[in-house]
Amino acid sequence: MLYSQDHEWINVKGDVGTVGITDHAQSQLGDIVFCDIEPAGTVLSAGDTAGVVESVKAASDIYSPVSGEILKVNEDPADDPALLNTDPVANWLYTIRLNDPSELDGLMDEEAYDLYCRG
Amino acid sequence: MPSDTKEQHLKKTPLYEKHVALGAKMTDFNGWAMPLQYGGILAEHLAVRENCGVFDVSHMGEIAVSGDGAEQFLQTLLTHDIRRLAKARWIYSPMCNPDGGTVDDVIVYRQGDGFLVCVNAGNTDKDFAWMRLNAPSGVIVTDLSAHFSQIAVQGPKTEEILAKTDTSEAMLIAKTGYTGERGVEIYLSPEDAPSLWDQLIEAGATPCGLGARDTLRTEAGLPLYGHELSKDISPLEAGLTRFISFDKGPFIGRDELFLQSHDENRRRLVGLTMGGRSIPRPGYAVLCGGAPCGSVTSGGPSPTLGAGIAMALVTKDADEYEVLIRGKAEPASRTELPFYRRRI
């Protein structure tokens, strides 16, 4: 699993990545009450807004860690946003077909991400 | 994502160490390091609606007004009628500029021969200067904020919790609050605050932060200075007409407020409930029939109602509005304030 500076995780198999928010992100956000991801078919560049999650206090954009086309959106967190607090890894947000796997080189591994969060 | 606050430059209340020890997420509120939340905003919100919550509100300012002519001075300074204090323990009142804009909204208590004015934390210095500027000779205005701590105990179980604690050191216990629930605000000296705080939690009160304070007061339709009130928003526009006494004699801002009261096209504060799942936030544009007509002053998810709610300042009087959320006009129905009213 790889991590972005914007606190998303991505798990890549072949040319398909599964994207979610990290435990650090959900902990910083607090109670999540809204989740909305762009529909399947949306084409994103790395860093584009893929959707939004909202806590009680604020709305936070989800930035796609990689470029590609959204293949599938997980409806569970949209129906029950609190799932993102209880298990942000099991409750992935969307899958994406990667345009450029070399973008993964710019992401962090778990150790680097832990250091980044503590920084 | 929110970032951690640099707390070293912020003012701290006498309960700061307690908040840190309880694992609170701290935030910068008008220059004060205050707890945003402990366990979670939703749980804290629910605790106040169903049981009892305790809030550190020591950041609030306390300004004493005494001397010859103190009552007449406050009568001129505030929009509400100070003579109501003959019967009431406290009054709530806006304080206006000559142009009708709001300097602050305050609570006034009678204290011996004088008065104690509780003001918003971020406005304390400004209010103190404004009061000094307008005070006639003989009236003494003193900023006592450093000598007061404040703990708010709010919720249907407030009496049960208070019965288990020793409040004998309190300087003032007022049946006021900012949550829409029954409860009290306890004024006490800073050195007594930590002990009472511990007792209240020991007795079963849930520590609550500013996050829950905001969702609770929004459901209760209570204004927050800087949102529903400001130097550019009059109390009349904010729907606080019942706290403006036009027949009490002259007061600062009266002429302009009187003109506004006869202007049917003035801005008005409305309550909005979202039709869908989307959540209105402060600053979002409000549309009426597709045309911009104002903006959201406070908004967020209502834990009690399970919908997005907002207060908005608008120029159009209608039953249905839209809120512009990330480029989409989302339907919002006008809702009479408050959104939530406690069972008596």
Short mmCIF file of all heavy atoms in Angstrom, two decimals, chain B residues 277-315:
data_model
loop_
_atom_site.label_atom_id
_atom_site.label_comp_id
_atom_site.label_asym_id
_atom_site.label_seq_id
_atom_site.Cartn_x
_atom_site.Cartn_y
_atom_site.Cartn_z
N ARG B 277 -28.78 15.10 1.05
CA ARG B 277 -27.78 14.78 2.08
C ARG B 277 -26.74 15.87 2.27
O ARG B 277 -25.95 15.81 3.20
CB ARG B 277 -27.02 13.52 1.67
CG ARG B 277 -27.79 12.24 1.77
CD ARG B 277 -26.82 11.11 1.43
NE ARG B 277 -27.49 9.86 1.21
CZ ARG B 277 -26.86 8.75 0.82
NH1 ARG B 277 -25.57 8.78 0.60
NH2 ARG B 277 -27.53 7.64 0.66
N SER B 278 -26.71 16.83 1.35
CA SER B 278 -25.60 17.78 1.34
C SER B 278 -25.64 18.70 2.55
O SER B 278 -26.67 18.89 3.18
CB SER B 278 -25.61 18.58 0.05
OG SER B 278 -26.86 19.21 -0.08
N ILE B 279 -24.48 19.25 2.85
CA ILE B 279 -24.29 20.00 4.10
C ILE B 279 -23.91 21.45 3.78
O ILE B 279 -22.88 21.70 3.15
CB ILE B 279 -23.18 19.34 4.95
CG1 ILE B 279 -23.60 17.91 5.31
CG2 ILE B 279 -22.92 20.16 6.21
CD1 ILE B 279 -22.48 17.09 5.91
N PRO B 280 -24.74 22.39 4.22
CA PRO B 280 -24.42 23.80 4.00
C PRO B 280 -23.37 24.27 5.00
O PRO B 280 -23.35 23.82 6.15
CB PRO B 280 -25.76 24.50 4.25
CG PRO B 280 -26.47 23.61 5.23
CD PRO B 280 -26.00 22.20 4.98
N ARG B 281 -22.48 25.15 4.55
CA ARG B 281 -21.40 25.66 5.41
C ARG B 281 -21.39 27.18 5.35
O ARG B 281 -21.83 27.77 4.37
CB ARG B 281 -20.05 25.14 4.92
CG ARG B 281 -19.91 23.62 4.84
CD ARG B 281 -19.70 23.01 6.20
NE ARG B 281 -19.52 21.55 6.10
CZ ARG B 281 -19.40 20.77 7.17
NH1 ARG B 281 -19.43 21.28 8.39
NH2 ARG B 281 -19.25 19.47 7.03
N PRO B 282 -20.83 27.83 6.40
CA PRO B 282 -20.76 29.28 6.39
C PRO B 282 -20.10 29.82 5.13
O PRO B 282 -19.09 29.27 4.67
CB PRO B 282 -19.89 29.59 7.62
CG PRO B 282 -20.07 28.42 8.51
CD PRO B 282 -20.27 27.23 7.62
N GLY B 283 -20.71 30.83 4.54
CA GLY B 283 -20.15 31.46 3.35
C GLY B 283 -20.74 30.95 2.05
O GLY B 283 -20.60 31.61 1.02
N TYR B 284 -21.39 29.80 2.06
CA TYR B 284 -21.98 29.28 0.83
C TYR B 284 -23.09 30.23 0.37
O TYR B 284 -23.85 30.77 1.18
CB TYR B 284 -22.60 27.89 1.06
CG TYR B 284 -21.62 26.74 1.18
CD1 TYR B 284 -20.24 26.95 1.24
CD2 TYR B 284 -22.08 25.42 1.24
CE1 TYR B 284 -19.36 25.89 1.36
CE2 TYR B 284 -21.20 24.35 1.37
CZ TYR B 284 -19.84 24.59 1.42
OH TYR B 284 -18.97 23.53 1.53
N ALA B 285 -23.19 30.42 -0.96
CA ALA B 285 -24.20 31.31 -1.53
C ALA B 285 -25.58 30.69 -1.42
O ALA B 285 -25.75 29.48 -1.56
CB ALA B 285 -23.86 31.60 -2.99
N VAL B 286 -26.57 31.54 -1.18
CA VAL B 286 -27.97 31.11 -1.16
C VAL B 286 -28.68 31.73 -2.36
O VAL B 286 -28.49 32.92 -2.66
CB VAL B 286 -28.66 31.54 0.15
CG1 VAL B 286 -30.13 31.14 0.15
CG2 VAL B 286 -27.95 30.90 1.35
N LEU B 287 -29.46 30.90 -3.05
CA LEU B 287 -30.19 31.35 -4.22
C LEU B 287 -31.69 31.30 -3.93
O LEU B 287 -32.15 30.49 -3.12
CB LEU B 287 -29.89 30.47 -5.44
CG LEU B 287 -28.43 30.09 -5.70
CD1 LEU B 287 -28.35 29.12 -6.88
CD2 LEU B 287 -27.61 31.33 -5.97
N CYS B 288 -32.41 32.19 -4.62
CA CYS B 288 -33.87 32.14 -4.55
C CYS B 288 -34.37 32.23 -5.99
O CYS B 288 -34.07 33.22 -6.68
CB CYS B 288 -34.38 33.30 -3.70
SG CYS B 288 -36.15 33.22 -3.42
N GLY B 289 -35.06 31.19 -6.45
CA GLY B 289 -35.48 31.15 -7.85
C GLY B 289 -34.30 31.23 -8.80
O GLY B 289 -34.40 31.81 -9.88
N GLY B 290 -33.17 30.68 -8.40
CA GLY B 290 -31.99 30.64 -9.26
C GLY B 290 -31.09 31.86 -9.15
O GLY B 290 -29.97 31.85 -9.66
N ALA B 291 -31.58 32.93 -8.49
CA ALA B 291 -30.78 34.15 -8.40
C ALA B 291 -30.16 34.28 -7.01
O ALA B 291 -30.83 33.98 -6.01
CB ALA B 291 -31.65 35.36 -8.69
N PRO B 292 -28.91 34.73 -6.93
CA PRO B 292 -28.26 34.90 -5.62
C PRO B 292 -29.05 35.86 -4.73
O PRO B 292 -29.51 36.90 -5.21
CB PRO B 292 -26.89 35.50 -5.97
CG PRO B 292 -26.67 35.16 -7.39
CD PRO B 292 -28.02 35.11 -8.04
N CYS B 293 -29.24 35.51 -3.47
CA CYS B 293 -30.01 36.38 -2.57
C CYS B 293 -29.38 36.45 -1.19
O CYS B 293 -29.97 36.99 -0.26
CB CYS B 293 -31.45 35.91 -2.48
SG CYS B 293 -31.67 34.41 -1.54
N GLY B 294 -28.17 35.89 -1.02
CA GLY B 294 -27.56 35.98 0.30
C GLY B 294 -26.58 34.86 0.52
O GLY B 294 -26.14 34.20 -0.43
N SER B 295 -26.23 34.62 1.78
CA SER B 295 -25.27 33.55 2.07
C SER B 295 -25.53 32.92 3.43
O SER B 295 -26.20 33.50 4.29
CB SER B 295 -23.84 34.08 1.98
OG SER B 295 -23.65 35.09 2.94
N VAL B 296 -24.98 31.74 3.58
CA VAL B 296 -25.09 30.99 4.83
C VAL B 296 -24.20 31.65 5.88
O VAL B 296 -23.04 31.95 5.61
CB VAL B 296 -24.67 29.52 4.62
CG1 VAL B 296 -24.54 28.78 5.94
CG2 VAL B 296 -25.65 28.81 3.69
N THR B 297 -24.75 31.90 7.07
CA THR B 297 -23.95 32.47 8.15
C THR B 297 -23.41 31.36 9.07
O THR B 297 -22.28 31.43 9.54
CB THR B 297 -24.77 33.48 8.96
OG1 THR B 297 -26.01 32.87 9.35
CG2 THR B 297 -25.08 34.73 8.13
N SER B 298 -24.24 30.36 9.35
CA SER B 298 -23.81 29.18 10.11
C SER B 298 -24.47 27.97 9.46
O SER B 298 -25.62 28.06 9.05
CB SER B 298 -24.25 29.24 11.57
OG SER B 298 -23.60 30.27 12.26
N GLY B 299 -23.77 26.87 9.42
CA GLY B 299 -24.39 25.68 8.85
C GLY B 299 -23.57 24.46 9.12
O GLY B 299 -22.38 24.55 9.44
N GLY B 300 -24.22 23.31 9.00
CA GLY B 300 -23.53 22.06 9.22
C GLY B 300 -24.55 20.95 9.36
O GLY B 300 -25.75 21.17 9.17
N PRO B 301 -24.07 19.75 9.71
CA PRO B 301 -25.01 18.66 9.91
C PRO B 301 -25.69 18.83 11.27
O PRO B 301 -25.05 19.20 12.24
CB PRO B 301 -24.10 17.43 9.92
CG PRO B 301 -22.78 17.94 10.42
CD PRO B 301 -22.67 19.37 9.96
N SER B 302 -27.00 18.57 11.31
CA SER B 302 -27.70 18.58 12.59
C SER B 302 -27.79 17.16 13.11
O SER B 302 -28.53 16.35 12.55
CB SER B 302 -29.12 19.15 12.42
OG SER B 302 -29.92 18.78 13.53
N PRO B 303 -27.06 16.83 14.17
CA PRO B 303 -27.12 15.47 14.70
C PRO B 303 -28.52 15.09 15.16
O PRO B 303 -28.93 13.95 15.02
CB PRO B 303 -26.13 15.50 15.88
CG PRO B 303 -25.20 16.61 15.56
CD PRO B 303 -26.04 17.65 14.87
N THR B 304 -29.26 16.05 15.70
CA THR B 304 -30.60 15.74 16.21
C THR B 304 -31.59 15.54 15.08
O THR B 304 -32.42 14.64 15.13
CB THR B 304 -31.08 16.87 17.15
OG1 THR B 304 -30.08 17.11 18.13
CG2 THR B 304 -32.38 16.48 17.84
N LEU B 305 -31.51 16.36 14.04
CA LEU B 305 -32.49 16.29 12.95
C LEU B 305 -32.04 15.33 11.85
O LEU B 305 -32.86 14.92 11.03
CB LEU B 305 -32.73 17.68 12.36
CG LEU B 305 -33.70 18.59 13.09
CD1 LEU B 305 -33.17 19.01 14.45
CD2 LEU B 305 -34.00 19.82 12.27
N GLY B 306 -30.75 15.00 11.81
CA GLY B 306 -30.26 14.11 10.77
C GLY B 306 -30.29 14.73 9.39
O GLY B 306 -30.42 14.03 8.38
N ALA B 307 -30.18 16.06 9.31
CA ALA B 307 -30.15 16.75 8.02
C ALA B 307 -29.20 17.92 8.11
O ALA B 307 -28.84 18.35 9.21
CB ALA B 307 -31.55 17.24 7.66
N GLY B 308 -28.80 18.43 6.96
CA GLY B 308 -28.00 19.64 6.94
C GLY B 308 -28.88 20.83 7.24
O GLY B 308 -29.97 20.96 6.68
N ILE B 309 -28.42 21.69 8.15
CA ILE B 309 -29.20 22.89 8.50
C ILE B 309 -28.31 24.11 8.38
O ILE B 309 -27.09 24.01 8.46
CB ILE B 309 -29.80 22.82 9.92
CG1 ILE B 309 -28.70 22.63 10.98
CG2 ILE B 309 -30.86 21.72 10.01
CD1 ILE B 309 -29.20 22.80 12.42
N ALA B 310 -28.96 25.25 8.20
CA ALA B 310 -28.20 26.50 8.09
C ALA B 310 -29.04 27.66 8.57
O ALA B 310 -30.27 27.63 8.52
CB ALA B 310 -27.79 26.74 6.64
N MET B 311 -28.34 28.68 9.06
CA MET B 311 -28.93 30.00 9.17
C MET B 311 -28.32 30.81 8.05
O MET B 311 -27.13 30.65 7.75
CB MET B 311 -28.65 30.62 10.54
CG MET B 311 -29.42 29.93 11.66
SD MET B 311 -29.24 30.75 13.26
CE MET B 311 -27.82 29.87 13.92
N ALA B 312 -29.14 31.62 7.39
CA ALA B 312 -28.65 32.37 6.24
C ALA B 312 -29.24 33.77 6.26
O ALA B 312 -30.38 33.97 6.67
CB ALA B 312 -29.03 31.66 4.94
N LEU B 313 -28.44 34.72 5.84
CA LEU B 313 -28.88 36.11 5.74
C LEU B 313 -29.25 36.35 4.28
O LEU B 313 -28.39 36.25 3.40
CB LEU B 313 -27.75 37.03 6.18
CG LEU B 313 -28.11 38.45 6.60
CD1 LEU B 313 -29.10 38.43 7.77
CD2 LEU B 313 -26.86 39.22 6.97
N VAL B 314 -30.54 36.65 4.03
CA VAL B 314 -31.03 36.73 2.65
C VAL B 314 -31.83 38.02 2.43
O VAL B 314 -32.34 38.62 3.38
CB VAL B 314 -31.92 35.50 2.30
CG1 VAL B 314 -31.12 34.22 2.39
CG2 VAL B 314 -33.14 35.43 3.22
N THR B 315 -31.93 38.41 1.16
CA THR B 315 -32.69 39.60 0.81
C THR B 315 -34.08 39.26 0.29
O THR B 315 -34.89 40.15 0.09
CB THR B 315 -31.95 40.40 -0.28
OG1 THR B 315 -31.64 39.51 -1.35
CG2 THR B 315 -30.66 41.00 0.26
#
